[in-house]
Amino acid sequence: MLRGEANEELSRVGKGTPMGELFRRFWLPALLTSEVEAPDGPPVRLRILGEDLVAFRDSSGRVGLVSAYCSHRLAPLFFGRNEDGGIRCVYHGWKFDAEGRCLETPNVPAGAPDIRDRVGITAYPVREAGGVVWAYLGPKEHEPRFPGLEYAHVPPGHAFAARWLQRTNWSQGLEGEIDSSHISWLHRDFDRDTTKQKVTGAQLSADAAPHIELRQTDYGLVYGARRDHEGQYLWRVTQLILPMFSLIPRGPGAFAAGGGRAWVPVDDNCTTVFTFGYRVDHPIDEDELASYYRSGALFPPRTQPGRYQLPDGYVIDTWLPVANKENDYLIDREMQRTANFTGIWGVHDQDRALAENSRGIGGTSPGVADRSFEHLVSSDRAVVTVRRILLNLADALRKGVEPAIVADPELFAVRAISKLSPLAAFDAFMAEYGHEMRASGARAPVPAE
Ligand code: FES
Ligand SMILES: [Fe+2]
């Protein structure tokens, strides 16, 4: 249970809020590179951490992430013309470059004072890595080096990424990620061969009550789930990297491929979910993509690119899940009786159906969960631990202590692994295999400044 103030503190991400400031110390995924592929192509509307933004690629190939509104009379730059090295407001023609500088104010009469220096708009630094445009929304003096997340550093063609909208607060998404006791229920298939839903983590359903071990680390949290398997143990080790990146193991064996998710707040009520997959040994081809699809947990749900009007009226360009709140996630009661636990197709849709309809503050279903009504049990230990870590970090930052992780990109360079092993104790397992959880030797250069 998390009462009023702590619940709000965990959830709210606007400028000046404790968690909002903590998020503003990290590089965050903002949108897919493919959405702003073409120089001078159409701008994309975003909201990140409650800030209304527009992304565009200028004539030289540089991506700009700037305020959604023109500084003259606050017109929307989404309708602007992306041309000749900047985005031009179509109301009166003012033009801004990727760094938010005002280049032209054509409706200012000749001879009048030049105001361009005073009317620049907010612009945030960006990097492109792993098929994603990343942004840093925090104070300039605290801009960290780019994080060493492995999927953001493999060579081109070795990674894929996708994103979609989840209509809950970001923390509900993250908590689903580390709530391993739901996997054997929510994502259960009754019969892997006959189910329509071949993509879920069915192999995990066999042992519905894995033994879970949890350790806090200098980058977040590592947890191991141990299941009995033919006289040995199947260990699946998942990583949680601050503030909301997860790494999820694939099948047992030597590490060649991995992936994870990131929960980027749109605002307090919505989240952009990113999923990443990557290989370190060779580029991802069609077969590999198909195998990600079969593994289910990382592959995106069925989505369509489109626009979504947030409750306060601002429109974002995003990827909209085909199964959604309006159609009850296409629940099929016959499938629920015969094939899987939910009657909903796909891991992410199952997760979203539950998260987007949980009890929120004020008794509403979307948005921020009202955790004062919860009754947590011992299997919720990871959820409790992550809340505590994040609240402590936010509290420390409020007192002037910067989060240590952002100072060291290498701390982000970990892997999630899965192993068959005779070792029953997690500490012994970590001592034996911990070195395999360090990502190294597969590094492409850090994206250019
Ligand atoms: S409002 Fe943009 S140029 Fe006037
Ligand atoms: Fe799930």
Side-chain angles (χ1 to χ4, degrees), residues 45 305-309 315-318 320:
R45 290 165 291 194
R307 67 199 291 286
Y308 181 74
Q309 185 169 358
V315 173
I316 54 174
D317 297 307
T318 184
L320 298 160

Side-chain angles (χ1 to χ4, degrees), residues 100-112:
R101 283 184 298 237
C102 182
L103 303 176
E104 296 172 26
T105 54
N107 67 336
V108 172

